Amino acid sequence: MDRVGSLPDELLCHILSFLTTKEAALTSLLSKRWRYLIAFVPYLDFDDSVFLHPEEGKRERHEIRQSFMDFVDRVLALQGESPIKKFSLKCRTGVDSDRVDAWISNVLRRGVSELDLLIILGMTMEDNYRLSPKGFESRTLVKLRIDCGIDVSWMAGSIFLPMLKTLVLDSVSFYVDKFETLLHALPALDDLVLVDVNWLDSNVTISNASLKTLTIDSDGHLGTFSFDTPSLVYFFYSDYAAEDYPVVKMENLREARIFLMVSDEEIERVRAPNNDLFEDDMDNVVLRFEHVGKLMNGIRNVEYLDLSADTLEVLSLCCESMPVFKNLKSLAIKSNESRGWQAMPVLLRNCPHLESLVIEGLLHHVTDKCGDACDCVSREDKGRSLTSCPVKTFEIHGFGGTKKEMQMIKHFLDYFPSLKEMEIYADEDGPTNLEAPGMFEQIAHLFTLYDQVYTCDVQFMVRGSFYKKLTAQ
């Protein structure tokens, strides 16, 4: 019995929506009933890399590219005016821009709500495909993704998308004034994602009163960044530290993930302030790092904060300007052996209502400025910043079973006065001493003793296949 074939057409079309359009079209060979189902599939996904096959040299053949364009034409013609929800078009081998205009106009006219475009016509910016404002009018479009190879800036003042809630710009170039004009044409925008945007001006301002979530994932903007986003509740920021942050208005922010990137050369310059060899460049790096304090002050109302190891290192130059995070309840910090914890003491002291702390990796670069948050350097005020921290739950990830890590765990247990629960995770992908004969059992036994001695509940867990390997020994 053909159980799939007995399903109603609406459900079959929904199933076909999970396939590429080429794969969905091939199902027409199954039976007469399947022949025309492609005409009613509301999700279309055209990708020339799938259609043309990855065989060497074949992608460059003109007749193959032509057959791809003919295929898109046939599917859209077959669908007529049937409703469409999502249209994804990825062309990496060059296509006729007039036909692309016609395809986009077709789906916009039919009420498409999600549009995903990647169109590469050539290898230079002059070859970028220009979205046509004539066909780019829609009161149904809710999500728009523009990927590399597309020039959208030139039409920024010619479009109006009143229902658009999500905009993703990936590997596109923008002048700031054109970008601001574009945002003004999106009054309902909630979610903005900027990935490797090439800013053609040095001073960038993101201003939008309705924006709720903002993601910036880049690796090269060294000008200034300003944010006038009073309704923002989620902020992800991964880039090198900007030259400055003149304006940061995020009064309603609830969650922030700050993953700054720092080169080893910059770290060397900052750690050697009296080295004349680096004097000029060092002043510039130090100033950039100090200006991150303005960014932190702008996000001071967050309830959840996630910091990378590089960010923590940068904050070592912002200790005097570190704001009080009066609403912060959960703090997550990534650490590694080449980055320091100089900012950790002031960060913990400035979180008066912190409830949950997560640290991924306990090992870090040791200096005499690590402060009292760890026991790396012997000092009289050992543990002072911990004793004022109200954290109740503490997770440690990436535990490797070293003596130093064990000492630090005991240090936390000794000085966190309100700690109720500590969870320690050894991950299978990280470096570890746990595979040494008897080491796993010794550490597990030690944590059992900790659980009995301290009022805090101490749990030790090993994840994944690594756990199976250890417990089988």
Side-chain angles (χ1 to χ4, degrees):
M1 182 178 179
D2 182 7
R3 295 187 177 182
V4 175
S6 64
L7 296 175
D9 287 353
E10 293 80 3
L11 186 53
L12 290 176
C13 288
H14 180 70
I15 293 173
L16 292 179
S17 296
F18 292 95
L19 305 177
T20 66
T21 301
K22 180 189 175 184
E23 292 168 335
L26 290 174
T27 63
S28 63
L29 302 176
L30 295 176
S31 68
K32 289 183 179 180
R33 188 191 171 198
W34 289 77
R35 184 171 300 171
Y36 299 108
L37 284 179
I38 186 66
F40 305 101
V41 174
Y43 295 83
L44 296 180
D45 181 4
F46 296 102
D47 188 333
D48 66 356
S49 66
V50 174
F51 185 85
L52 301 174
H53 306 294
E55 298 168 16
E56 184 177 357
K58 195 172 184 180
R59 291 181 60 183
E60 301 301 324
R61 292 167 52 187
H62 172 72
E63 62 271 19
I64 298 297
R65 291 198 301 269
Q66 183 65 40
S67 68
F68 169 74
M69 291 187 287
D70 292 343
F71 173 70
V72 179
D73 284 339
R74 286 196 303 272
V75 171
L76 293 180
L78 184 63
Q79 290 205 326
E81 295 300 317
S82 63
I84 183 171
K85 294 181 179 179
K86 179 179 179 180
F87 181 73
S88 176
L89 177 65
K90 293 180 172 59
C91 305
R92 301 173 178 84
T93 60
V95 288
D96 183 343
S97 60
D98 290 335
R99 293 172 85 168
V100 173
D101 287 345
W103 298 339
I104 295 175
S105 297
N106 177 292
V107 297
L108 288 174
R109 185 179 67 250
R110 292 161 54 193
V112 68
S113 58
E114 184 173 347
L115 193 59
D116 186 350
L117 302 174
L118 186 159
I119 304 165
I120 299 177
L121 301 180
M123 300 303 294
T124 66
M125 289 185 62
E126 289 73 17
D127 296 324
N128 283 351
Y129 168 70
R130 288 191 166 192
L131 285 173
S132 173
K134 294 181 180 179
F136 215 82
E137 298 177 0
S138 172
R139 292 189 175 273
T140 62
L141 194 62
V142 174
K143 182 175 182 179
L144 173 63
R145 180 185 180 97
I146 304 294
D147 218 318
C148 61
I150 299 177
D151 182 5
V152 67
S153 63
W154 75 284
M155 56 173 283
S158 306
I159 65 172
F160 183 62
L161 300 173
M163 301 302 294
L164 193 75
K165 293 189 176 297
T166 300
L167 175 64
V168 181
L169 299 175
D170 189 342
S171 304
V172 300
S173 298
F174 255 114
Y175 285 101
V176 172
D177 60 339
K178 297 294 185 181
F179 178 73
E180 292 177 351
T181 302
L182 176 64
L183 290 187
H184 290 156
L186 311 174
L189 190 65
D190 281 343
D191 182 17
L192 177 61
V193 180
L194 305 173
V195 180
D196 291 333
V197 171
N198 177 29
W199 298 105
L200 302 176
D201 298 295
S202 58
N203 301 319
V204 177
T205 297
I206 298 176
S207 177
N208 188 283
S210 66
L211 200 63
K212 298 293 191 300
T213 69
L214 173 60
T215 298
I216 299 175
D217 189 354
S218 187
D219 61 358
H221 180 67
L222 299 179
T224 69
F225 247 132
S226 289
F227 304 95
D228 185 6
T229 51
S231 300
L232 203 68
V233 295
Y234 173 84
F235 181 42
F236 176 90
Y237 180 45
S238 177
D239 201 344
Y240 287 98
E243 180 181 317
D244 197 2
Y245 300 91
V247 177
V248 184
K249 293 183 179 179
M250 299 181 181
E251 295 87 351
N252 292 297
L253 194 66
R254 292 294 171 264
E255 180 175 348
R257 300 173 184 269
I258 311 298
F259 293 173
L260 296 178
M261 293 180 286
V262 180
S263 69
D264 290 338
E265 184 180 11
E266 288 175 325
I267 296 298
E268 182 180 358
R269 292 174 181 177
V270 170
R271 289 176 181 170
N274 298 321
N275 192 333
D276 294 337
L277 180 64
F278 295 138
E279 185 173 353
D280 293 338
D281 289 339
M282 186 207 67
D283 289 343
N284 179 49
V285 172
V286 169
L287 194 59
R288 280 175 44 226
F289 286 8
E290 289 178 345
H291 284 161
V292 172
K294 298 180 182 180
L295 176 66
M296 301 305 290
N297 187 62
I299 67 170
R300 64 188 180 277
N301 290 333
V302 294
E303 296 177 2
Y304 176 89
L305 182 60
D306 190 357
L307 304 175
S308 67
D310 280 353
T311 304
L312 193 62
E313 178 80 39
V314 170
L315 292 180
S316 66
L317 295 181
C318 307
C319 291
E320 294 184 2
S321 61
M322 188 79 71
V324 174
F325 296 93
K326 59 182 180 180
N327 299 326
L328 192 66
K329 296 181 179 179
S330 180
L331 174 63
I333 293 175
K334 294 177 176 60
S335 179
N336 66 52
E337 294 184 73
S338 65
R339 298 294 183 256
W341 276 24
Q342 296 95 314
M344 185 74 84
V346 66
L347 188 59
L348 292 178
R349 286 196 300 268
N350 286 20
C351 301
H353 303 293
L354 189 66
E355 296 178 0
S356 173
L357 177 62
V358 179
I359 296 182
E360 185 177 327
L362 290 177
L363 300 181
H364 57 275
H365 178 73
V366 177
T367 72
D368 58 357
K369 296 180 181 180
C370 280
D372 58 330
C374 63
D375 66 344
C376 298
V377 179
S378 179
R379 52 192 303 133
E380 293 181 0
D381 59 348
K382 184 177 180 180
R384 183 167 60 89
S385 65
L386 303 186
T387 58
S388 62
C389 183
V391 65
K392 294 179 176 62
T393 64
F394 186 15
E395 292 183 18
I396 297 171
H397 295 260
F399 176 73
T402 65
K403 181 179 179 181
K404 181 59 183 175
E405 290 172 296
M406 294 298 298
Q407 291 172 342
M408 290 189 65
I409 288 172
K410 186 177 185 303
H411 176 71
F412 292 129
L413 288 169
D414 285 338
Y415 290 99
F416 273 139
S418 303
L419 197 61
K420 300 299 182 185
E421 182 177 340
M422 175 183 282
E423 296 181 354
I424 303 155
Y425 296 90
D427 296 315
E428 58 180 315
D429 295 330
T432 178
N433 292 337
L434 296 176
E435 290 185 298
M439 183 61 70
F440 174 70
E441 290 78 8
Q442 290 180 32
I443 291 177
H445 177 65
L446 184 58
F447 283 136
T448 300
L449 294 178
Y450 283 172
D451 191 38
Q452 296 171 356
V453 172
Y454 294 96
T455 57
C456 172
D457 179 24
V458 182
Q459 299 183 37
F460 175 46
M461 287 161 275
V462 185
R463 290 174 168 169
S465 58
F466 184 43
Y467 172 76
K468 296 179 182 179
K469 179 180 178 181
L470 287 172
T471 53
Q473 291 179 351

